[in-house]
Amino acid sequence: MSLELIGITVLWIFLYGYLIVASIDFGAGFFAYYARVSKQEHIMSQLINRYLSPVWEVTNVFFVFFFVGLIGFFPDTAYYFGTALLIPGSVGIILLAIRGAFYAFGNYGSKNSTFFLFLYGATGLLIPAALSTALTISEGGFLDVSDNNVVFLAKELFTSPYSWSVVVLAIVSVLYISASFLTYYADRAEDMESRGIMRKFSLLWSAPTIVASLMVFVALREHNPEHFQNAIDIWWMFGLSLVFFMIATFLVYQKKMFGIGFIMVMLQFFFAFFGYGASHLPYILYPYITIEGSVVNETMGTALVVVFIAGLLLLIPSLYLLMRLFLFDADYIKGKK
Amino acid sequence: MELDSVMLSQLLTASTLIFHVIFATLGVGVPIMIAIAEFLGIKRNDSHYLLLARRWARGYTITVAVGVVTGTAIGLQLALLWPSFMQVAGQVIALPLFMETFAFFFEAIFLGIYLYTWDRFKNRWLHWLLTIPIMIGSTLSAFFITTVNAFMNQPQGFEIVDGKTVNIDPIAAMFNPATPSKVFHVVMSSYMTSAFILAAITAFIILRKKGTDYHKKALRLTMVAGFIFAAGTAFAGDLSAKFLADYQPEKLAAAEWHFETEQNADLIIFGTINEDGEVSNEIRLPGVLSFLAGNSFDTEVIGLNEFPEDEQPPLWIHYMFDLMVIIGMYSLFIAGIFIVFIFMKRFNEWNKPLLWGIVASGPLAMLAIEFGWIFAEVGRQPWILRGLMTVDQASTTSGDVGIALAMFLLLYGVLGTFCVTVLIKMFKNKPPEAELERRFPK
Ligand code: HDD
Ligand code: HEM
Ligand code: HEM
């Protein structure tokens, strides 16, 4: 495998990891707020807190890893995205900052502040919307590149159907992934009331996820026919995604094997996300940056790969420990520890 | 001063870093203090120290959160505001930035475990062991980021041929001449500042509410640790000055208002300077600058006049340097007195003036961190990569930096205010005496 392909695969895997863990976190914020206003808080917030408290910082690192790695492996992306994303990027950071900080303030500091919880819930939906614009921009058509100057065409972005279809998909997916996970988590905790609520949510958001994905395809055909054609060529990836979606929904509907159900959801997004990524290649930013053209020099690239492998050897056992203590320890989840 | 996108980018970078470094410093230093307290608590089976570790850790979660979110901001801003710099530097110095994310990962995972497993292990030492990866993770992140900054001061490990970076050696870039002294000084000053901040809070409570044994133990612990780290900081600072004399003489010369290359150079403390470069109102220590630069009064110190005018850093960094050094001396002095008083029964180490002196030392140490960084960063001007790329060649061309600056300033204002109020509330509502009885019933 060539260096650039290894690089982009590693980054894409981490972005996928972020997609899953962050969706759980973002959606949980929304559900926690919903529970507060619908006066069902006593049931759900305990559950959500038990999961989120120990892991939210780890979630953030997935994101940091992705963008630091992207600039490391493909330094040219810094130049184009850097200029283009100043405002959307800043808005994204500010929302992330508010969310992270107020989560900590609310959770460790003054309990029961509905205002903090509102910020936490609202940002959970706004952040995916803001971050997804980076993917939208990567499809091309939103930058004006003249000699040595990159100008971001904000108006195009706000009036593009493609851009909006991506935003909708991002928000719906967040709610769907999060609800599926929390259903499973509630099931492990043998907390039937929460399980009931979350199960309803995961069924509620399942159909919209598929509709929103189709919308994105339709809009993509208009916006970037080349990418659309590439996606059609690997249709089986998206087909598999749909199959896993159906299995997941079936299991949740039947109230069976919630754990397997969540793994199916992860696979559903895995195939859709990697299908999207593979058909996007060789471009990182259409049509200016390709992975071959922007990859870092070979010495640095090799060093990064070596560090990456060493880093994984360190991280995987640590992550395993974290999950064993907080995710798979039935007593902890039930609140006995 | 013109508010173009270069200037605005500098202002935004500076604001973010000045805000981030407060939390980053605590992020590096406080785990050490927590680990020491828990260690003593288990070793001596003393519930005071155990409670201390617990309460410090609880406050720490708040500051870490702000450190993480502002760190994420600066990480992205580096790419957003300095795209050309990142494009070039990315080829050479991406390695430590990448490794830093692993250090964050490592620390975040074990911090998560540490905070939620206080009572989960039968053997208390197992819980203490968790502090080791946290300390390693946070100190390593300081190490990695500081190598990047060192590289900006002493770029090496590559060549530029026809505008292309070639012959890249990432290890040489990381371990450049600025790295050893800089890393040592940054790490030591973080440990020191954290100890003094914790000491200041404790001293304040003793003054206000007649502290108990719990507070007295806390103050003794933080003062002894603070003294050791302050000595380390001063030693490392001395190494940094010697490094500057050898490798970056223009920064030292600007900081010392030293214009002519000469032996037996005087050290100038404070004072004022006019347009013609005449210094007045200063305290002058004959020959001391030469001593600072090379351990002997005969050392020749290169003067600022050797450098072209447009490559000279601004002269006001002199005050930053002096304030930093004076605060360093003050901290060493106040912690030293306190320790002497502990051992000399004749004196009372709990007397009011001394305690107020300790209260002041916390915020002062944090100011020294800021002054030190401003000195180091402004002293690098006009370069972003010393000798290779100037700041105005590196900045974004976007016209929206002003809006971004306004948004971020607002954000830091809000975060800062909430962070302080939440911390105060958190500890006021739960006094240690009550918690001690609840957790460790006699
Ligand atoms: C508690 C904080 C603190 C204290 C008391 C001191 N310093 Fe410092 N100093 C720093 C915190 C700091 C810093 C924030 O960590 C800096 C900024 C950049 C760096 O490398 O370290 C720094 C930079 C810095 C530099 C510039 C290094 C460079 O740009 O490469 C020098 C020469 C010194 N210091 C020297 C001293 C001396 C002689 C001190 C005498 C006691 C001293 N510092 C006390
Ligand atoms: C955390 C402590 C730090 C503080 C308080 C700080 C402070 C500052 C200040 C005041 C400036 C503006 C200089 C001017 O406009 O004259 C600046 C610029 C800058 N700093 Fe730092 N800095 C810190 C650490 C770092 C580190 C570790 C890096 C390296 C990764 C870094 C990278 C930069 C860059 C790229 C600029 C913009 C270019 C320039 O103005 O020179 N800073 N910083
Ligand atoms: C002297 C300067 C700096 C020090 C000592 C420092 C140290 C730290 C520490 C200790 C944390 C994490 C808080 C924690 O997890 O405990 C942190 C967060 C962070 N810092 Fe800094 N930092 C410095 C400057 C910078 C600069 C210049 C950058 C930009 C490249 C940066 C990037 C980050 C990022 C991205 C995070 C968030 C990591 C996460 O999500 O866990 N830091 N920093």
Side-chain angles (χ1 to χ4, degrees), chain A residues 56-65 67-68, chain B residues 13 17 20-21 23-29 31 60 63-78 86 97 100-101 103-105 107-108 111 134 137-139 141-143 145-146 148-149 152 186-187 190 369 373 377:
Chain A
W56 80 265
E57 213 190 320
V58 179
T59 306
N60 193 52
V61 187
F62 268 94
F63 177 57
V64 174
F65 185 99
F67 73 72
V68 173
Chain B
T13 308
L17 282 162
H20 176 63
V21 79
F23 302 93
T25 300
L26 296 174
V28 174
Y60 182 62
T63 58
V64 165
V66 185
V68 169
V69 299
T70 53
T72 311
I74 181 61
L76 270 170
Q77 274 176 7
L78 273 189
M86 285 311 274
L97 282 174
E100 198 193 7
T101 59
F104 287 146
F105 246 126
E107 185 197 350
L111 187 64
I134 300 176
S138 60
T139 299
S141 23
F143 166 71
I145 193 67
T146 310
V148 178
N149 188 267
M152 294 166 65
V186 167
V187 170
S190 298
I369 294 272
W373 274 108
E377 298 287 282

Side-chain angles (χ1 to χ4, degrees), chain A residues 1-11 13 274 281 291 298 305:
Chain A
M1 222 154 116
S2 62
L3 191 61
E4 61 266 22
L5 214 52
I6 298 178
I8 198 73
T9 310
V10 164
L11 293 173
I13 291 172
F274 276 78
L281 290 181
I291 54 169
E298 207 177 317
V305 172

Side-chain angles (χ1 to χ4, degrees), chain A residues 60 76 108 297 300 325 329, chain B residues 68 87 91-92 116 120 168:
Chain A
N60 193 52
D76 287 354
Y108 308 116
N297 62 82
M300 180 58 83
L325 286 169
D329 185 323
Chain B
V68 169
Q87 201 179 12
Q91 299 280 354
V92 194
Y116 292 90
R120 255 172 102 172
I168 286 151

Side-chain angles (χ1 to χ4, degrees), chain A residues 207-288:
Chain A
T209 318
I210 292 303
V211 175
S213 324
L214 288 178
M215 300 280 290
V216 169
F217 267 105
V218 173
L220 182 65
R221 195 171 64 181
E222 296 301 311
H223 188 80
N224 184 340
E226 192 180 333
H227 184 179
F228 179 76
Q229 192 51 46
N230 287 340
I232 295 298
D233 291 346
I234 47 167
W235 61 272
W236 55 272
M237 297 272 278
F238 301 99
L240 275 177
S241 172
L242 193 64
V243 171
F244 286 117
F245 164 77
M246 293 198 279
I247 302 175
T249 317
F250 177 74
L251 288 177
V252 173
Y253 184 73
Q254 295 278 317
K255 300 191 190 169
K256 268 192 210 144
M257 298 190 280
F258 290 103
I260 306 284
F262 181 65
I263 292 178
M264 293 297 131
V265 171
M266 282 175 65
L267 286 172
Q268 172 198 340
F269 278 88
F270 180 88
F271 281 101
F273 194 66
F274 276 78
Y276 169 83
S279 55
H280 200 291
L281 290 181
Y283 296 105
I284 296 181
L285 173 56
Y286 184 88
Y288 305 108

Side-chain angles (χ1 to χ4, degrees), chain A:
Chain A
M1 222 154 116
S2 62
L3 191 61
E4 61 266 22
L5 214 52
I6 298 178
I8 198 73
T9 310
V10 164
L11 293 173
W12 208 242
I13 291 172
F14 268 80
L15 195 58
Y16 169 74
Y18 184 64
L19 175 89
I20 298 293
V21 290
S23 291
I24 295 175
D25 179 84
F26 292 154
F30 175 78
F31 293 126
Y33 181 67
Y34 166 81
R36 168 77 54 94
V37 287
S38 65
K39 305 253 182 315
Q40 293 170 313
E41 179 173 34
H42 53 287
I43 318 174
M44 271 166 42
S45 65
Q46 262 279 332
L47 181 82
I48 291 175
N49 257 336
R50 292 223 130 227
Y51 165 73
L52 280 182
S53 306
V55 302
W56 80 265
E57 213 190 320
V58 179
T59 306
N60 193 52
V61 187
F62 268 94
F63 177 57
V64 174
F65 185 99
F66 173 75
F67 73 72
V68 173
L70 186 69
I71 296 167
F73 275 108
F74 304 100
D76 287 354
T77 53
Y79 180 68
Y80 283 89
F81 277 110
T83 319
L85 284 180
L86 183 66
I87 290 302
S90 298
V91 171
I93 306 170
I94 289 178
L95 291 172
L96 273 174
I98 291 178
R99 179 184 178 77
F102 283 90
Y103 173 69
F105 294 167
N107 196 43
Y108 308 116
S110 48
K111 291 251 181 332
N112 287 328
S113 157
T114 305
F115 174 63
F116 286 180
L117 199 62
F118 168 73
L119 285 180
Y120 188 64
T123 49
L125 298 186
L126 291 173
I127 294 169
L131 294 184
S132 67
T133 55
L135 286 182
T136 308
I137 290 172
S138 78
E139 291 295 336
F142 303 107
L143 296 183
D144 183 20
V145 179
S146 54
D147 39 32
N148 283 330
N149 211 353
V150 184
V151 178
F152 173 49
L153 307 171
K155 214 160 102 211
E156 309 283 320
L157 187 75
F158 279 109
T159 52
S160 146
Y162 176 68
S163 148
W164 287 106
S165 68
V166 172
V167 167
V168 171
L169 177 62
I171 294 177
V172 175
S173 309
V174 159
L175 293 172
Y176 174 63
I177 294 174
S178 188
S180 312
F181 175 79
L182 290 171
T183 316
Y184 158 66
Y185 202 68
D187 186 58
R188 293 271 334 218
E190 292 169 18
D191 174 349
M192 289 308 148
E193 263 180 288
S194 301
R195 195 188 83 176
I197 301 173
M198 293 322 299
R199 178 175 162 273
K200 260 192 230 131
F201 269 117
S202 66
L203 291 175
L204 176 69
W205 290 112
S206 60
T209 318
I210 292 303
V211 175
S213 324
L214 288 178
M215 300 280 290
V216 169
F217 267 105
V218 173
L220 182 65
R221 195 171 64 181
E222 296 301 311
H223 188 80
N224 184 340
E226 192 180 333
H227 184 179
F228 179 76
Q229 192 51 46
N230 287 340
I232 295 298
D233 291 346
I234 47 167
W235 61 272
W236 55 272
M237 297 272 278
F238 301 99
L240 275 177
S241 172
L242 193 64
V243 171
F244 286 117
F245 164 77
M246 293 198 279
I247 302 175
T249 317
F250 177 74
L251 288 177
V252 173
Y253 184 73
Q254 295 278 317
K255 300 191 190 169
K256 268 192 210 144
M257 298 190 280
F258 290 103
I260 306 284
F262 181 65
I263 292 178
M264 293 297 131
V265 171
M266 282 175 65
L267 286 172
Q268 172 198 340
F269 278 88
F270 180 88
F271 281 101
F273 194 66
F274 276 78
Y276 169 83
S279 55
H280 200 291
L281 290 181
Y283 296 105
I284 296 181
L285 173 56
Y286 184 88
Y288 305 108
I289 312 179
T290 61
I291 54 169
E292 291 91 6
S294 67
V295 68
V296 73
N297 62 82
E298 207 177 317
T299 328
M300 180 58 83
T302 317
L304 291 179
V305 172
V306 170
V307 164
F308 176 72
I309 293 169
L312 277 192
L313 293 180
L314 190 76
L315 280 190
I316 290 174
S318 323
L319 272 175
Y320 174 72
L321 185 66
L322 184 77
M323 304 231 283
R324 244 197 65 173
L325 286 169
F326 299 113
L327 207 50
F328 301 131
D329 185 323
D331 280 347
Y332 173 78
I333 302 177
K334 286 177 200 155
K336 290 192 191 135
K337 275 187 185 169

